[in-house]
PDB file of all heavy atoms in Angstrom:
ATOM      1  N   TYR A  35      97.855  89.000  71.814  1.00  0.00           N
ATOM      2  CA  TYR A  35      98.517  90.299  71.659  1.00  0.00           C
ATOM      3  C   TYR A  35      99.797  90.274  72.443  1.00  0.00           C
ATOM      4  O   TYR A  35      99.928  89.655  73.490  1.00  0.00           O
ATOM      5  CB  TYR A  35      97.644  91.415  72.241  1.00  0.00           C
ATOM      6  CG  TYR A  35      96.472  91.817  71.380  1.00  0.00           C
ATOM      7  CD1 TYR A  35      95.256  91.116  71.415  1.00  0.00           C
ATOM      8  CD2 TYR A  35      96.556  92.868  70.450  1.00  0.00           C
ATOM      9  CE1 TYR A  35      94.189  91.446  70.596  1.00  0.00           C
ATOM     10  CE2 TYR A  35      95.492  93.210  69.623  1.00  0.00           C
ATOM     11  CZ  TYR A  35      94.333  92.497  69.729  1.00  0.00           C
ATOM     12  OH  TYR A  35      93.256  92.842  68.922  1.00  0.00           O
ATOM     13  N   PHE A  45      98.857  93.229  67.756  1.00  0.00           N
ATOM     14  CA  PHE A  45      98.039  92.041  67.443  1.00  0.00           C
ATOM     15  C   PHE A  45      98.898  90.947  66.817  1.00  0.00           C
ATOM     16  O   PHE A  45      99.690  91.230  65.857  1.00  0.00           O
ATOM     17  CB  PHE A  45      96.908  92.455  66.495  1.00  0.00           C
ATOM     18  CG  PHE A  45      96.138  91.327  65.891  1.00  0.00           C
ATOM     19  CD1 PHE A  45      95.219  90.655  66.655  1.00  0.00           C
ATOM     20  CD2 PHE A  45      96.313  90.948  64.555  1.00  0.00           C
ATOM     21  CE1 PHE A  45      94.490  89.610  66.077  1.00  0.00           C
ATOM     22  CE2 PHE A  45      95.621  89.908  64.006  1.00  0.00           C
ATOM     23  CZ  PHE A  45      94.684  89.196  64.786  1.00  0.00           C
ATOM     24  N   GLN A  48      94.625  85.596  65.505  1.00  0.00           N
ATOM     25  CA  GLN A  48      93.326  85.232  65.972  1.00  0.00           C
ATOM     26  C   GLN A  48      92.873  83.907  65.475  1.00  0.00           C
ATOM     27  O   GLN A  48      93.098  83.527  64.340  1.00  0.00           O
ATOM     28  CB  GLN A  48      92.293  86.313  65.476  1.00  0.00           C
ATOM     29  CG  GLN A  48      90.847  86.001  65.973  1.00  0.00           C
ATOM     30  CD  GLN A  48      89.815  86.381  64.975  1.00  0.00           C
ATOM     31  OE1 GLN A  48      90.077  87.048  63.977  1.00  0.00           O
ATOM     32  NE2 GLN A  48      88.582  86.113  65.306  1.00  0.00           N
ATOM     33  N   ARG A  55      92.115  82.782  61.833  1.00  0.00           N
ATOM     34  CA  ARG A  55      91.185  83.732  61.250  1.00  0.00           C
ATOM     35  C   ARG A  55      91.874  85.007  60.727  1.00  0.00           C
ATOM     36  O   ARG A  55      91.505  85.512  59.687  1.00  0.00           O
ATOM     37  CB  ARG A  55      90.115  84.121  62.241  1.00  0.00           C
ATOM     38  CG  ARG A  55      89.213  85.214  61.841  1.00  0.00           C
ATOM     39  CD  ARG A  55      88.183  84.822  60.813  1.00  0.00           C
ATOM     40  NE  ARG A  55      87.307  85.884  60.425  1.00  0.00           N
ATOM     41  CZ  ARG A  55      86.346  85.727  59.506  1.00  0.00           C
ATOM     42  NH1 ARG A  55      86.140  84.582  58.898  1.00  0.00           N
ATOM     43  NH2 ARG A  55      85.560  86.756  59.220  1.00  0.00           N
ATOM     44  N   PHE A  90      99.111  88.966  76.021  1.00  0.00           N
ATOM     45  CA  PHE A  90      97.673  88.937  76.408  1.00  0.00           C
ATOM     46  C   PHE A  90      96.908  88.002  75.489  1.00  0.00           C
ATOM     47  O   PHE A  90      97.108  87.964  74.252  1.00  0.00           O
ATOM     48  CB  PHE A  90      97.042  90.337  76.301  1.00  0.00           C
ATOM     49  CG  PHE A  90      97.359  91.265  77.383  1.00  0.00           C
ATOM     50  CD1 PHE A  90      98.300  92.311  77.231  1.00  0.00           C
ATOM     51  CD2 PHE A  90      96.822  91.115  78.657  1.00  0.00           C
ATOM     52  CE1 PHE A  90      98.602  93.155  78.261  1.00  0.00           C
ATOM     53  CE2 PHE A  90      97.146  91.950  79.706  1.00  0.00           C
ATOM     54  CZ  PHE A  90      98.059  92.973  79.455  1.00  0.00           C
ATOM     55  N   THR A  97      83.105  85.535  65.388  1.00  0.00           N
ATOM     56  CA  THR A  97      83.939  86.257  64.456  1.00  0.00           C
ATOM     57  C   THR A  97      83.077  87.083  63.564  1.00  0.00           C
ATOM     58  O   THR A  97      81.939  86.808  63.399  1.00  0.00           O
ATOM     59  CB  THR A  97      84.874  85.310  63.661  1.00  0.00           C
ATOM     60  OG1 THR A  97      85.892  86.046  62.994  1.00  0.00           O
ATOM     61  CG2 THR A  97      84.088  84.547  62.623  1.00  0.00           C
ATOM     62  N   GLY A  98      83.649  88.094  62.929  1.00  0.00           N
ATOM     63  CA  GLY A  98      82.909  88.990  62.013  1.00  0.00           C
ATOM     64  C   GLY A  98      81.957  89.887  62.739  1.00  0.00           C
ATOM     65  O   GLY A  98      81.230  90.596  62.150  1.00  0.00           O
ATOM     66  N   THR A 100      82.383  92.705  65.250  1.00  0.00           N
ATOM     67  CA  THR A 100      83.332  93.482  66.007  1.00  0.00           C
ATOM     68  C   THR A 100      82.680  94.066  67.231  1.00  0.00           C
ATOM     69  O   THR A 100      81.676  94.784  67.165  1.00  0.00           O
ATOM     70  CB  THR A 100      83.896  94.638  65.133  1.00  0.00           C
ATOM     71  OG1 THR A 100      82.805  95.354  64.584  1.00  0.00           O
ATOM     72  CG2 THR A 100      84.756  94.027  64.046  1.00  0.00           C
ATOM     73  N   LEU A 103      86.199  92.758  73.275  1.00  0.00           N
ATOM     74  CA  LEU A 103      87.099  91.632  73.556  1.00  0.00           C
ATOM     75  C   LEU A 103      87.259  91.575  75.056  1.00  0.00           C
ATOM     76  O   LEU A 103      87.351  92.614  75.728  1.00  0.00           O
ATOM     77  CB  LEU A 103      88.472  91.887  72.920  1.00  0.00           C
ATOM     78  CG  LEU A 103      88.570  91.911  71.387  1.00  0.00           C
ATOM     79  CD1 LEU A 103      89.986  91.904  70.918  1.00  0.00           C
ATOM     80  CD2 LEU A 103      87.744  90.751  70.800  1.00  0.00           C
TER      81      LEU A 103
ATOM     82  N   ASN B  32      84.917 100.694  63.275  1.00  0.00           N
ATOM     83  CA  ASN B  32      84.384 100.613  64.628  1.00  0.00           C
ATOM     84  C   ASN B  32      85.477 101.087  65.594  1.00  0.00           C
ATOM     85  O   ASN B  32      86.647 100.708  65.397  1.00  0.00           O
ATOM     86  CB  ASN B  32      83.941  99.248  65.016  1.00  0.00           C
ATOM     87  CG  ASN B  32      82.827  98.731  64.073  1.00  0.00           C
ATOM     88  OD1 ASN B  32      81.899  99.455  63.778  1.00  0.00           O
ATOM     89  ND2 ASN B  32      82.971  97.503  63.602  1.00  0.00           N
ATOM     90  N   TYR B  36      89.749 101.317  75.484  1.00  0.00           N
ATOM     91  CA  TYR B  36      89.952 100.325  76.567  1.00  0.00           C
ATOM     92  C   TYR B  36      90.792 100.932  77.669  1.00  0.00           C
ATOM     93  O   TYR B  36      91.582 101.840  77.415  1.00  0.00           O
ATOM     94  CB  TYR B  36      90.695  99.097  76.041  1.00  0.00           C
ATOM     95  CG  TYR B  36      89.823  98.080  75.332  1.00  0.00           C
ATOM     96  CD1 TYR B  36      89.429  98.287  73.972  1.00  0.00           C
ATOM     97  CD2 TYR B  36      89.359  96.935  75.990  1.00  0.00           C
ATOM     98  CE1 TYR B  36      88.625  97.371  73.343  1.00  0.00           C
ATOM     99  CE2 TYR B  36      88.541  96.020  75.319  1.00  0.00           C
ATOM    100  CZ  TYR B  36      88.215  96.240  74.016  1.00  0.00           C
ATOM    101  OH  TYR B  36      87.403  95.330  73.381  1.00  0.00           O
ATOM    102  N   GLN B  38      93.216 100.053  81.259  1.00  0.00           N
ATOM    103  CA  GLN B  38      93.922  99.026  81.988  1.00  0.00           C
ATOM    104  C   GLN B  38      94.360  99.674  83.301  1.00  0.00           C
ATOM    105  O   GLN B  38      95.277 100.479  83.379  1.00  0.00           O
ATOM    106  CB  GLN B  38      95.132  98.605  81.236  1.00  0.00           C
ATOM    107  CG  GLN B  38      95.905  97.454  81.849  1.00  0.00           C
ATOM    108  CD  GLN B  38      97.070  96.951  80.965  1.00  0.00           C
ATOM    109  OE1 GLN B  38      97.572  97.725  80.169  1.00  0.00           O
ATOM    110  NE2 GLN B  38      97.487  95.704  81.183  1.00  0.00           N
ATOM    111  N   PHE B  51      79.938 102.226  67.053  1.00  0.00           N
ATOM    112  CA  PHE B  51      79.735 101.480  65.831  1.00  0.00           C
ATOM    113  C   PHE B  51      79.050 102.349  64.782  1.00  0.00           C
ATOM    114  O   PHE B  51      79.438 102.354  63.628  1.00  0.00           O
ATOM    115  CB  PHE B  51      78.881 100.231  66.122  1.00  0.00           C
ATOM    116  CG  PHE B  51      79.637  99.099  66.739  1.00  0.00           C
ATOM    117  CD1 PHE B  51      80.901  99.254  67.206  1.00  0.00           C
ATOM    118  CD2 PHE B  51      78.992  97.868  66.953  1.00  0.00           C
ATOM    119  CE1 PHE B  51      81.629  98.214  67.807  1.00  0.00           C
ATOM    120  CE2 PHE B  51      79.648  96.818  67.552  1.00  0.00           C
ATOM    121  CZ  PHE B  51      80.974  96.992  67.981  1.00  0.00           C
ATOM    122  N   ASN B  97      83.288  95.040  59.993  1.00  0.00           N
ATOM    123  CA  ASN B  97      83.071  93.577  59.739  1.00  0.00           C
ATOM    124  C   ASN B  97      84.342  92.790  59.718  1.00  0.00           C
ATOM    125  O   ASN B  97      84.424  91.776  59.003  1.00  0.00           O
ATOM    126  CB  ASN B  97      82.255  93.411  58.458  1.00  0.00           C
ATOM    127  CG  ASN B  97      81.400  92.174  58.532  1.00  0.00           C
ATOM    128  OD1 ASN B  97      80.938  91.774  59.572  1.00  0.00           O
ATOM    129  ND2 ASN B  97      81.201  91.515  57.356  1.00  0.00           N
ATOM    130  N   THR B  98      85.355  93.256  60.383  1.00  0.00           N
ATOM    131  CA  THR B  98      86.574  92.399  60.562  1.00  0.00           C
ATOM    132  C   THR B  98      86.785  92.228  62.069  1.00  0.00           C
ATOM    133  O   THR B  98      86.158  92.883  62.901  1.00  0.00           O
ATOM    134  CB  THR B  98      87.841  93.015  59.935  1.00  0.00           C
ATOM    135  OG1 THR B  98      88.158  94.214  60.682  1.00  0.00           O
ATOM    136  CG2 THR B  98      87.557  93.427  58.506  1.00  0.00           C
ATOM    137  N   ASP B  99      87.724  91.397  62.394  1.00  0.00           N
ATOM    138  CA  ASP B  99      87.999  91.127  63.787  1.00  0.00           C
ATOM    139  C   ASP B  99      89.272  91.656  64.300  1.00  0.00           C
ATOM    140  O   ASP B  99      89.525  91.625  65.491  1.00  0.00           O
ATOM    141  CB  ASP B  99      88.048  89.588  64.005  1.00  0.00           C
ATOM    142  CG  ASP B  99      86.762  88.903  63.557  1.00  0.00           C
ATOM    143  OD1 ASP B  99      85.718  89.389  64.069  1.00  0.00           O
ATOM    144  OD2 ASP B  99      86.813  88.000  62.757  1.00  0.00           O
ATOM    145  N   LYS B 100      90.146  92.164  63.442  1.00  0.00           N
ATOM    146  CA  LYS B 100      91.463  92.551  63.892  1.00  0.00           C
ATOM    147  C   LYS B 100      91.371  93.888  64.576  1.00  0.00           C
ATOM    148  O   LYS B 100      91.154  94.930  63.956  1.00  0.00           O
ATOM    149  CB  LYS B 100      92.389  92.627  62.663  1.00  0.00           C
ATOM    150  CG  LYS B 100      93.879  92.465  63.015  1.00  0.00           C
ATOM    151  CD  LYS B 100      94.662  92.125  61.768  1.00  0.00           C
ATOM    152  CE  LYS B 100      95.332  93.289  61.180  1.00  0.00           C
ATOM    153  NZ  LYS B 100      96.258  92.903  60.077  1.00  0.00           N
ATOM    154  N   LEU B 101      91.565  93.913  65.906  1.00  0.00           N
ATOM    155  CA  LEU B 101      91.468  95.079  66.702  1.00  0.00           C
ATOM    156  C   LEU B 101      92.880  95.626  66.794  1.00  0.00           C
ATOM    157  O   LEU B 101      93.744  94.994  67.394  1.00  0.00           O
ATOM    158  CB  LEU B 101      90.899  94.767  68.105  1.00  0.00           C
ATOM    159  CG  LEU B 101      90.535  95.922  69.027  1.00  0.00           C
ATOM    160  CD1 LEU B 101      89.433  96.735  68.419  1.00  0.00           C
ATOM    161  CD2 LEU B 101      90.123  95.363  70.341  1.00  0.00           C
TER     162      LEU B 101
END
Side-chain angles (χ1 to χ4, degrees):
Chain A
Y35 285 85
F45 170 75
Q48 180 213 354
R55 172 73 179 180
F90 283 107
T97 193
T100 50
L103 296 190
Chain B
N32 298 316
Y36 279 79
Q38 187 177 23
F51 283 6
N97 211 31
T98 69
D99 300 308
K100 203 161 101 172
L101 189 63

